[in-house]
Structure formats: C-alpha cells, structure tokens
Amino acid sequence: MAYQIKILLLAFAIAFVISLIVIPILKRKKIGQNERNDGPKSHLKKKGTPTMGGIIMIFGLIGMGVILYFDYSRSTAESEILVAKNLIPLLAATIGFGLIGFVDDFKKLVLNNTEGLKPALKMLGLLIVATVFTVFITQVMKIGTDIIIPFAKTSVTLPIYIYIPFTILVMLATTNAINLTDGIDGLSTSVTTIILTCLTAIGMITGVKEIVIFGASLIGICLAFLIFNLHPARIFMGDTGSLLLGGAVSVMAIYLKIPILLLIIAIIPVLETLSDIIQVSHYKRTGKRVFKMAPLHHHFELSGWHENTIVSVFSLVTLIACIIGIMSI
C-alpha cells in the first residue's frame, strides 16, 4: 500500500508541475473554450478559458509510464519484469485514445476548424485503438475471454468472435459516455477519479499489480488536474482528456475482466448517455423535449442547481455505485 501511495503522490506532483507550465502557455496562445450559443447562458462567461488540458494528462501518464517501466524492468524478479511488460498496452491504448481527442481539439482550437475531426474519422480512430488493444491482449498476452458476472460470483467464457466485438463496443461506448459527462467544471474529472479508484481497489483485491500502479498514477494525475478544473475552472480537459479518461476506464475494466461492472460503477456516464439518446430520439419523433437540455447535467443546471452541487451529487452517486460494484464481485 505504501508503494502505491508513493506512486500516486509522484504522479500528482508531476501533473501539478506540468499544469503550472501548460496552463500559461495555453493562455498565451489563446487556446480557449468556445461555448455554444444554444447552451446554458451561464457558460458564455467561460469562453476563452484554456482548454485542451488533457495534454497535461498525456504528459503526466507518459512520464509515470517511463518511470514505472524502468523501475520494474530493472528488477531481477521475473514477476516484476512481467508487470513492466503488461503495463505497456494499458499505457499505449489510453494515450492512443487521448491523442485522437488531441487531434480533434487541435483542429478546432489551433487551426480554427469549427468542425474539428469529422465524427466518422474520430470513430474510426477510436475503433482502431480499441481493436488493436483487444486483439493484443487476447492473441499476444493470452489473458483469456472470460468475463466476470457481477453479483453472480461467477464468470462466463465467450467465444473469441463474440468477445472481441463486445470489448471493442465497451471501449467505444465508455469513451463517448465520459466525453458526454465532460460538460461542467470538475464533473468528468471528479466522477472518473472515483471510478478509477474503484477499479484500482479491485486490482488490489485481485492482485493485478499492473492495474494497481497504472490506476494509482491516473488517480494522482486526475487529482492534480482537478485543482485547476474545479469551479471556477482555470482549464478544461477537452476531448484530449475526456477520451483519454474514457479509454483508461475501459482498458482497466476489460483487463480486470469486469466490463459489465461498468454499468454499475460508471452509472453517471451511463445516465448521461441515455439522457442524450432519449432526448434526441424523442425530439425527432414528437418535436418535444424530455429534458430541459441534454446531457443530464445540463438538465439539472437549467433546473437551478449550481455546478458545484451537480458535481457533488453526481460524485456521491458514483461513490455509492462503486461501493456496490466492489461488493458485487
């Protein structure tokens, strides 16, 4: 436990220092938030706030990845060297998702291309990263195709031709769900940090060391970023950060063989996604809205809830869901 705390604190310190360097640069380059005119009016004052802050997470994760890899790979114990090797696909997939978000943010904010990365190209990029990761862990690492069923205290082994499409779908759904959750100051960071902590705890319980050190690094990075992301936010993560965090949650869950558990512990991103789907489909059929605005956090915002209240309530719901999730396995 002491070693994991050291990793978390080191990751926090690295990300905090990177934040102090990156935020002024983004301000100087005027890489700021563009708010929608049809969004909540309270968000218009956020226009110009530095965004694309997910690059802090990318740099922090790369730095921690290098430190952890060399720390474990220089060990004489075969088990420690294996941990270093197993860390690589987790890092690569997570950073890969973040880089796709970076390309989208870069086109929007630096090249002033309002469309950013075309949705089809973005989805193709996410699909490629998800496919490579899934094929690698099944065909190269041979982790198996079994999936734990929450509450049943058992697992099922899926045929490879079902397992690969299923896990790819989980990764695409998770990245997009956490992307939708990123809409008000500190919300996505807070909720995702709790989910990452839950997955890291499960990694500790099940003895999957690479997940523990990977998760501890991400928690430290997120906590450092959260200092600057809480209301009133001094930086936003952009798609760079939200896709990276979605990727991290999905690869950890898949590696631990608990992708179905995401329906419980990631209940807030799930509800955010459902609210968006319901709103769009209902409006197309009837011309009327179910929510004042979708995703869900905007509905509460327009209902008079303060941003801090929404973040607190959604975080508390996530915490309770994570406790239930840990108990279910």
Side-chain angles (χ1 to χ4, degrees):
M1 176 67 79
Y3 182 65
Q4 284 79 32
I5 292 174
K6 288 179 182 178
I7 291 173
L8 189 154
L9 292 175
L10 178 60
F12 178 90
I14 290 174
F16 185 81
V17 171
I18 293 172
S19 299
L20 294 177
I21 297 170
V22 168
I23 293 175
I25 293 174
L26 293 176
K27 279 185 178 179
R28 193 161 58 249
K29 297 292 184 180
K30 296 182 179 179
I31 301 175
Q33 179 80 352
N34 292 318
E35 291 293 341
R36 295 160 36 196
N37 290 326
D38 59 342
K41 300 304 178 186
S42 61
H43 285 210
L44 294 176
K45 63 185 179 182
K46 300 180 183 184
K47 188 174 182 178
T49 302
T51 190
M52 205 162 72
I55 57 177
I56 294 168
M57 299 176 186
I58 291 180
F59 290 143
L61 198 53
I62 290 173
M64 286 303 300
V66 170
I67 292 170
L68 291 171
Y69 179 81
F70 283 107
D71 185 39
Y72 277 86
S73 61
R74 68 183 181 180
S75 172
T76 55
E78 187 64 31
S79 61
E80 300 289 277
I81 296 173
L82 186 60
V83 169
K85 290 180 180 178
N86 291 345
L87 195 59
I88 294 174
L90 298 172
L91 288 165
T94 301
I95 293 170
F97 283 118
L99 289 176
I100 293 167
F102 172 77
V103 172
D104 187 36
D105 286 337
F106 189 83
K107 290 190 72 173
K108 287 179 184 174
L109 302 168
V110 179
L111 302 182
N112 294 317
N113 182 334
T114 53
E115 290 185 3
L117 193 61
K118 291 183 178 179
L121 288 176
K122 183 191 289 189
M123 189 58 67
L124 177 62
L126 297 175
L127 179 62
I128 291 171
V129 175
T131 302
V132 171
F133 175 77
T134 305
V135 171
F136 185 85
I137 62 173
T138 54
Q139 304 303 307
V140 179
M141 296 180 68
K142 307 287 186 182
I143 71 167
T145 60
D146 50 313
I147 293 176
I148 295 171
I149 307 299
F151 298 107
K153 307 293 182 181
T154 187
S155 63
V156 295
T157 300
L158 299 177
I160 190 71
Y161 58 85
I162 294 178
Y163 179 84
I164 289 179
F166 172 72
T167 51
I168 290 172
L169 179 63
V170 168
M171 296 178 80
L172 297 181
T174 305
T175 51
N176 281 283
I178 290 182
N179 188 29
L180 282 173
T181 309
D182 182 34
I184 59 177
D185 299 2
L187 178 60
S188 187
T189 313
S190 300
V191 167
T192 308
T193 302
I194 297 170
I195 297 170
L196 290 171
T197 303
C198 175
L199 292 169
T200 303
I202 293 172
M204 295 176 70
I205 293 167
T206 55
V208 186
K209 200 163 188 177
E210 53 268 34
I211 284 292
V212 176
I213 61 176
F214 179 69
S217 299
L218 280 165
I219 294 166
I221 290 167
C222 286
L223 289 175
F225 183 79
L226 193 57
I227 292 176
F228 304 95
N229 187 228
L230 285 173
H231 184 76
R234 284 175 279 174
I235 190 167
F236 298 126
M237 67 173 69
D239 278 8
T240 309
S242 60
L243 293 184
L244 179 143
L245 291 179
V249 167
S250 61
V251 300
M252 288 176 74
I254 290 167
Y255 198 89
L256 288 167
K257 303 180 183 294
I258 52 172
I260 296 177
L261 192 68
L262 290 177
L263 292 173
I264 300 172
I265 66 175
I267 185 63
I268 291 299
V270 169
L271 292 176
E272 295 273 27
T273 304
L274 287 175
S275 70
D276 204 50
I277 294 171
I278 291 168
Q279 183 86 322
V280 172
S281 60
H282 187 74
Y283 187 79
K284 283 182 177 180
R285 287 199 315 271
T286 66
K288 297 179 180 178
R289 303 176 190 273
V290 177
F291 305 99
K292 293 182 178 180
M293 184 178 290
L296 190 60
H297 55 263
H298 287 321
H299 171 79
F300 287 106
E301 194 175 6
L302 292 180
S303 297
W305 289 33
H306 190 274
E307 288 189 43
N308 286 342
T309 304
I310 298 171
V311 172
S312 298
V313 172
F314 280 29
S315 295
L316 182 59
V317 170
T318 302
L319 178 59
I320 294 170
C322 285
I323 293 170
I324 295 171
I326 291 174
M327 293 172 63
S328 73
I329 60 166

